[in-house]
Amino acid sequence: MVKEERLSFPVQSGQSSDAEGAGGSRPCFRQELLSVKNEDPGDDFTFEEPPPKKIKLSSAPQGKPVKRQTTGCSLSSNIHMNWDLIEVLSERMQLERWVCANLVQLFQEENTIPFIVRYRKEIINHMDADDVREVQLALEELCTVSKKCQSICQTLKKEGVLNAGLEEALKNCRTRDELEHVYAPYKKGSKLSKARRAKQLGLDPAAQALLQTPQTLSLHSWVKPHIQGIPQEVATGVEQILADMMAKDKETLAYVRSLCDRNTVTIHSSLPFHLYYDFTCDVRRIQHHQILAINRGENLKILTVKVNIPDWVKSEFCRWCVNVRWRPKAYAREDLMKILNSAVEDSYKRLIMPLLCRSYRSSLTAAAEKESVAMFVRNLRRRLLACPVRGRVIMGVDPGFKHGCKLAILSPTSQILHTDVVYLHCARGTREADKLRNLMMKYNCQTLVIGNGTACRETEAFFTDLIAKKFFHPLDVSYCITNEAGASIYSVSPEAAKEMPDLDPNLRSAVSIGRRVQDPLAELVKIDPKHIGIGTYQHDMSQASLKSALGGVVEECVSFVGVDVNMCSETLLRHVAGLNAGRARSIVEWREKSGPFINREQLKLVKGLGPKSFQQCAGFIRINPEHFQTLCSSGALAKSQNAAVSEKPVPKKGKGKTSVLATPQLNALDQTCIHPESYSIAQRFLALIEGRMEEIGQQEMKERVEAALRRDSLEKLAKTLDTSLETLQLIVDGLTQPPSFDIRQNFEQADFKQGIVSMSDLQKGVVLTGRVENTTLFGAFVDIGVGCSGLIHKQYITPGKLPADLQRRSLALGPGERVEVRVLSVDMQRRRIGLDLIRVLR
């Protein structure tokens, strides 16, 4: 979906590629993995079987290598392993090597994902934000393995147990599981392994001799009766050393894994846990939500889980080891071959099979968590990018029974006009209805937003009854139901208290509910993404990974839409790429002290915002001339100009440069998605088409650009201006975008209605339209307006029912999608509705 959102809009339609900024992640790459100083204190969709995700770019028309000049020491040179970082990353992510090299360099330079996706697309082969984030996570994983390996080597070296063979085995590891397998016997506090005890008794040469020169090996010569322990058990000691060697051998492990891949390996759960009692499934076919459910049952001590590997794998493995990989290089006596056979069986049963089982469980859980996090990300993105409802006075209603329904009437700019509490579900209902009519007439409010919590259905019925009776005439009143998840948590938060200090917490939730429809992005960023009510199994996965991914998508969406630096809240600012809580606070303090920002260059005067931060955030921060003029009417302009003139350049620590003094003049390019680093190119392009700054976003500018593109192709113009095609396309989009353009206008808006349907009215086969409320790993929940969401199971979400742009991603549906569905089943007792997807409405 993101890739489609980022496509440049054709000039002929008057739209632009502001959507190209779709992307987001944490402002900085994990600091402990990089030596860069900070400035400031699987295919993820499966209609049938789930294969691992592959990011294929070779067929892309833009897929040509772009060399990037490196600065300083590269990250690859800091990876002291027996594998090449770029090569492994390229193989793991199915990416061209040059793309991986460029991404590694960009991350090392602390570039954010929104900045990379929008302003460096030519050197990443036009990857979308989700794919770039996957590469970043894979890179972090590899760097973590490298760092842990170095730490283990240092520890073992101090303990005097590190030898060339062990160091080689450690540096061959590419995952944390492999590293843990090699290191486990040497951990502090762990008992000496059987192989280490045998080696301490000096039996290692005997084990090597059995493989290299078995004709000269005499086990009796290794018996040393005066040594305590296991000196008499020479054969057993040699067997254990050989078993350990096999279990750590790269070729042996690769072979046994290939055997498993060619056979049916199953995962089995037993003991009662509803659907998963005596449950067995092929590890290649098991669904992600099933893995998470099984893991939950195991953690609750309700299920026992095991991985079943066919006996044939053991037989074939033992045959291959004895006859191929570990076959003695010369004739071996029967007693020595018996030791070798026993070593192979012991290695498989005691070491290799447990490793394979752990590996399967670990990889299945990792894949399930990854897909679940991806589902959270997609749902959150759809929720944040819902189209705002502008120009309406809105009444937010937080429904309730005993404590009444909380009301908040908001102006078209989200200012609080009135708050109140009404008791609709008691004998006072008629009197309260008169009160509601008076309020709505007084503020000319025709739009209601009702939270979907307790008493929602009853409150909805109350209002629809009044609307049907034309109780609010001459007002044409309509309403919508919105998800109120997180509103109560936000209403008692410090941020809510700071924003609405004189308002009761119960009334703050009504304000939040109303604002979620007026500007979903600005309101929902105030709430922890985990509390917005999206996704499933959030407590069964890595909380650090979930928090990082959701924080990244919030940053992506805020940067994607852009913010007016003179109007937006501190909360919204802190989610812009390149900024954080401290920098956002500094920007707001500068704005309060010195007046509105006149141009983007003035951001360089803000304390704590250095060159790198400016580079990352500047393209996503806008200065709207209309808002600026409004603020200037209050005398703030002189204040801002004086601040710019009186501000002295301050040396930046460690940079060797001074801040650039901002010129207090408006720049029309500051209201566009064009980055300041491309202003000179944009000005040359304007001169080429004989355009003026005042025409930016106007019809005249659009006509001039279209005329220029009819004369010459975009590629030829880019060559003339000595810039990349992607940069020029972004400039064209920025110049032709209308001033009121909002990329969210292409997304779905809340559904407003005036009537209500009951669940008892539904019958099997009835065709309805609805809106997706939430998607999970097993299906999509759809609001069809009956007070209970229906479920479209994933088996009914097939490629033939979907538009081409939705067929790639998992389940292909996200919150906000309008769909046509057919009722398959209605269970009144359990309040469950089964639906079949007919088509996605566009």
Side-chain angles (χ1 to χ4, degrees), residues 277-292:
Y277 164 64
D278 199 25
F279 172 84
T280 302
C281 187
D282 189 334
V283 294
R284 290 170 294 188
R285 297 177 181 272
I286 192 166
Q287 301 299 314
H288 298 304
H289 67 275
Q290 293 173 328
I291 284 292
L292 294 175

Side-chain angles (χ1 to χ4, degrees), residues 151-365:
S151 174
I152 290 173
C153 287
Q154 291 175 0
T155 301
L156 296 179
K157 189 174 182 180
K158 288 179 182 178
E159 295 174 357
V161 295
L162 183 67
N163 54 49
L166 179 57
E167 185 174 8
E168 180 80 7
L170 288 168
K171 290 189 174 182
N172 283 335
C173 297
R174 298 188 180 190
T175 67
R176 282 180 285 188
D177 285 340
E178 291 177 4
L179 202 59
E180 186 66 25
H181 174 66
V182 176
Y183 178 51
Y186 302 92
K187 279 186 175 180
K188 276 189 176 180
S190 62
K191 296 180 180 179
L192 287 178
S193 67
K194 294 180 178 180
R196 284 187 68 190
R197 287 200 298 268
K199 287 179 182 179
Q200 286 186 351
L201 293 171
L203 296 178
D204 194 25
Q208 296 291 343
L210 191 150
L211 297 174
Q212 303 297 328
T213 55
Q215 71 277 12
T216 63
L217 177 62
S218 173
L219 296 180
H220 294 287
S221 64
W222 292 90
V223 175
K224 300 176 181 178
H226 63 281
I227 300 179
Q228 294 182 357
I230 58 167
Q232 302 295 338
E233 302 293 339
V234 174
T236 303
V238 170
E239 174 187 314
Q240 291 164 350
I241 291 174
L242 289 173
D244 184 69
M245 290 168 61
M246 294 171 188
K248 293 177 180 176
D249 180 65
K250 186 177 179 181
E251 185 179 342
T252 303
L253 293 176
Y255 182 77
V256 73
R257 287 190 174 109
S258 71
L259 287 177
C260 291
D261 291 341
R262 298 199 300 268
N263 286 272
T264 302
V265 178
T266 61
I267 186 168
H268 177 77
S269 63
S270 57
L271 300 183
F273 189 64
H274 301 291
L275 296 174
Y276 299 101
Y277 164 64
D278 199 25
F279 172 84
T280 302
C281 187
D282 189 334
V283 294
R284 290 170 294 188
R285 297 177 181 272
I286 192 166
Q287 301 299 314
H288 298 304
H289 67 275
Q290 293 173 328
I291 284 292
L292 294 175
I294 287 172
N295 289 350
R296 179 187 293 179
E298 185 180 39
N299 292 335
L300 294 173
K301 311 296 184 185
I302 298 174
L303 288 179
T304 58
V305 183
K306 63 179 181 178
V307 175
N308 295 322
I309 299 175
D311 292 338
W312 183 87
V313 171
K314 176 184 176 182
S315 302
E316 179 61 22
F317 172 76
C318 293
R319 184 200 64 77
W320 177 82
C321 284
V322 173
N323 297 324
V324 182
R325 180 70 180 95
W326 299 95
R327 182 177 180 176
K329 293 186 177 181
Y331 171 77
R333 300 186 307 275
E334 184 178 347
D335 59 326
L336 297 182
M337 289 303 296
K338 183 178 179 180
I339 293 174
L340 182 60
N341 279 291
S342 298
V344 171
E345 290 200 16
D346 180 54
S347 180
Y348 179 82
K349 181 180 178 180
R350 183 169 56 87
L351 301 172
I352 293 178
M353 187 174 175
L355 171 65
L356 292 173
C357 293
R358 289 194 303 269
S359 178
Y360 275 115
R361 292 294 305 277
S362 176
S363 61
L364 288 171
T365 299

